């Protein structure tokens, strides 16, 4: 069984920095694209950033230049470095990954981690 476990969320001041991590575990053969999404209260979930197995990245326009997604394939881990966060970045952040595992090829999601940007 595949699991994605996020960590690193919490309270951060505007203009500060925070790094989220998400580690995949289980009987994994390959991990393809990985990404981060977020959902604020009363809003739909939106994709924040994604990264392919080859390292190509894409970002939500509102976080470009502030957030950086990266991955460590040896550790099956994806990161989201959040620099200069704004109060509007407050949300539950979820990681997801496209994984080929013993059980087949599926898209998996983590349980979410709260990020609150406030002074």
């Amino acid at each position: 069984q595949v699991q994605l476990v996020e960590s690193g969320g919490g309270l951060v001041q505007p203009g500060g920095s925070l790094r989220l991590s998400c580690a995949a575990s289980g009987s994994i053969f390959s991990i393809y694209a990985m990404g981060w999404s977020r959902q604020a209260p009363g809003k739909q979930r939106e994709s924040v950033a994604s990264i392919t197995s080859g390292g190509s990245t894409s970002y939500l326009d509102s976080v470009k230049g502030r957030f950086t997604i990266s991955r460590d394939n040896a550790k099956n881990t994806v990161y989201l470095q959040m620099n200069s966060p704004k109060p509007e970045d407050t949300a539950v952040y979820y990681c997801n990954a496209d994984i080929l595992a013993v059980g087949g090829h599926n898209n998996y999601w983590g349980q979410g981690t709260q990020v609150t940007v406030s002074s």
Side-chain angles (χ1 to χ4, degrees):
Q1 184 173 350
V2 174
Q3 285 189 320
L4 298 183
V5 179
E6 297 121 336
S7 60
L11 175 65
V12 60
Q13 292 187 340
S17 64
L18 197 67
R19 189 174 84 154
L20 307 183
S21 301
C22 173
S25 63
S27 301
I28 296 171
F29 296 132
S30 296
I31 301 179
Y32 304 103
M34 306 182 82
W36 290 92
S37 297
R38 67 187 182 189
Q39 187 166 20
K43 295 187 177 181
Q44 290 188 329
R45 188 176 298 191
E46 61 181 356
S47 176
V48 174
S50 63
I51 183 168
T52 67
S53 57
S56 297
T57 58
S58 63
Y59 295 93
L60 182 69
D61 283 347
S62 62
V63 308
K64 284 181 181 177
R66 300 187 297 119
F67 292 6
T68 302
I69 189 170
S70 61
R71 62 191 286 171
D72 184 333
N73 292 329
K75 296 181 178 180
N76 290 343
T77 299
V78 62
Y79 305 97
L80 185 69
Q81 179 67 42
M82 304 172 62
N83 294 333
S84 300
K86 303 175 182 179
E88 52 263 43
D89 294 320
T90 295
V92 177
Y93 283 72
Y94 299 89
C95 69
N96 72 286
D98 185 18
I99 297 175
L100 176 63
V102 169
H105 190 172
N106 291 290
N107 190 42
Y108 295 87
W109 289 84
Q111 80 285 356
T113 186
Q114 177 70 46
V115 172
T116 302
V117 184
S118 175
S119 55

